[in-house]
Amino acid sequence: MEHLTVTANGANFHVVRAGSGKPLLLLHGWPEFWLTWEPVMARLADRFTLIAPDLRGFGDSDKPDGPYGPDGHAADMLALMEGLGIERFGLVGHDVGGAVMQPLARQAAKRLTGLFFFDFVYPGIGPRMAAPDRLNHIWYQSFQQMEMAPALVGASRESCRLYIGHFLKGWAHRKNAFDDVLDAFADNYLKPGNLAGGFAHYRASHAGRVAMMKGEAPKLPPIDVPTCVRWAEHDPLFPYAWTDRLSETFSSLDLAMFPGVGHFPHREDPDRAAAEIAAFFQRVGWS
């Protein structure tokens, strides 16, 4: 795997590139960085060129003063691909990465061959995210907007490891999915600015999420890029029932349950995750 630094949209981005073939851009979630994709990249490198950046604020990419939300990340990623000399590409994303893919697809549909999503937020979830029985699941979205949050979580290596591990283990169905990299994740988030950089996404996204939870999300035309969604069977954060309105946002939708996993299908079952990604891009002629 090749580690690159690419300057794009006024910032330096750390990018990991592997494989050969048609390019796929892989966008991580929170609390993740590029390393979350490594098992899938290893399984797809014989068929695709895999490009896994750290989003602005995450990993070894720049962390200018935030906040930076989905629209900003989308502009970053389009500029990043231009910096790499790549005009057309497929998109794969999860969680925060899935939130970024939506404005990216609206800004540059003609550059995209297909969209492949694992569990993510989209407007059709609506008020369900704020239902009383869901509040214990989304407390972190408010906490992480507090000025003291990075100092509290980052007070020691153990506090950081406990906090990050709480989500990686708690949201997974296969509880050992991150055991081999938990220390690497803790060390990553202990790097200067990385906790605040990741938390900045929640500040930037707050107004949009509140509007969604009030049922006041703006009505946008559906995205026409061919779309595949594989939603986890056992995601405690985003239940599978929340997929019922995806067709309102994506006009060309292939939706199916991803069995036996929680919030992180790409880590919990990378064999199947890689196979699903490869099969979709083969169906749309990008392989």
Side-chain angles (χ1 to χ4, degrees):
M1 293 191 179
E2 179 185 12
H3 292 256
L4 310 170
T5 299
V6 179
T7 301
N9 203 25
N12 291 321
F13 292 89
H14 172 242
V15 180
V16 178
R17 183 168 60 189
S20 60
K22 297 290 181 67
L24 298 182
L25 177 62
L26 281 61
L27 301 182
H28 64 79
W30 185 92
E32 298 169 277
F33 63 117
W34 82 267
L35 188 63
T36 197
W37 292 114
E38 186 178 38
V40 162
M41 294 171 75
R43 288 160 173 81
L44 292 176
D46 61 337
R47 285 166 281 182
F48 299 95
T49 297
L50 292 314
I51 299 158
D54 290 329
L55 295 172
R56 184 186 295 250
F58 292 80
D60 290 323
S61 292
D62 277 355
K63 286 160 274 289
D65 287 342
Y68 11 86
D71 290 343
H73 288 309
D76 285 344
M77 293 300 102
L78 287 170
L80 172 71
M81 295 303 271
E82 289 171 6
L84 290 170
I86 296 171
E87 176 60 27
R88 281 179 60 75
F89 54 97
L91 262 179
V92 180
H94 162 253
D95 192 77
V96 170
V100 175
M101 287 167 64
Q102 295 166 73
L104 201 160
R106 295 184 187 282
Q107 292 174 28
K110 292 182 178 178
R111 293 183 62 185
L112 305 175
T113 61
L115 308 174
F116 188 103
F117 293 87
F118 297 117
D119 308 37
F120 65 106
V121 171
Y122 75 101
I125 292 174
R128 290 178 288 188
M129 183 171 271
D133 65 338
R134 304 304 305 166
L135 294 180
N136 280 347
H137 294 276
I138 63 169
W139 62 269
Y140 69 97
Q141 296 180 10
S142 297
F143 168 70
Q144 289 175 182
Q145 297 177 57
M146 299 177 71
E147 192 172 334
M148 66 179 175
L152 284 174
V153 176
S156 68
R157 186 177 188 280
E158 182 59 18
S159 61
C160 183
R161 191 178 188 277
L162 280 169
Y163 190 77
I164 299 301
H166 168 80
F167 299 102
L168 297 179
K169 192 172 287 286
W171 291 344
H173 183 66
R174 302 184 183 186
K175 298 301 184 183
N176 63 348
F178 290 90
D179 285 0
D180 60 328
V181 290
L182 180 54
D183 286 320
F185 272 63
D187 290 340
N188 168 74
Y189 275 96
L190 270 179
K191 291 180 179 180
N194 273 12
L195 285 168
F199 293 173
H201 167 78
Y202 292 90
R203 297 202 311 277
S205 302
H206 180 68
R209 291 201 182 203
V210 168
M212 180 191 75
M213 290 187 286
K214 288 181 175 180
E216 298 172 357
K219 302 296 183 185
L220 299 172
I223 293 167
D224 294 329
V225 180
T227 300
C228 184
V229 177
R230 293 295 179 261
W231 202 287
E233 180 181 13
H234 301 294
D235 190 336
L237 185 63
F238 303 147
Y240 181 77
W242 288 2
T243 63
D244 59 341
R245 295 181 62 186
L246 278 166
S247 61
E248 297 172 14
T249 297
F250 304 99
S251 63
S252 178
L253 176 65
D254 172 359
L255 166 67
M257 179 184 286
F258 194 122
V261 298
H263 185 61
F264 306 101
H266 53 293
R267 266 276 163 185
E268 297 181 54
D269 190 350
D271 286 339
R272 179 162 185 156
E276 292 277 10
I277 292 167
F280 168 66
F281 284 104
Q282 184 174 26
R283 289 197 297 275
V284 298
W286 194 246
S287 63

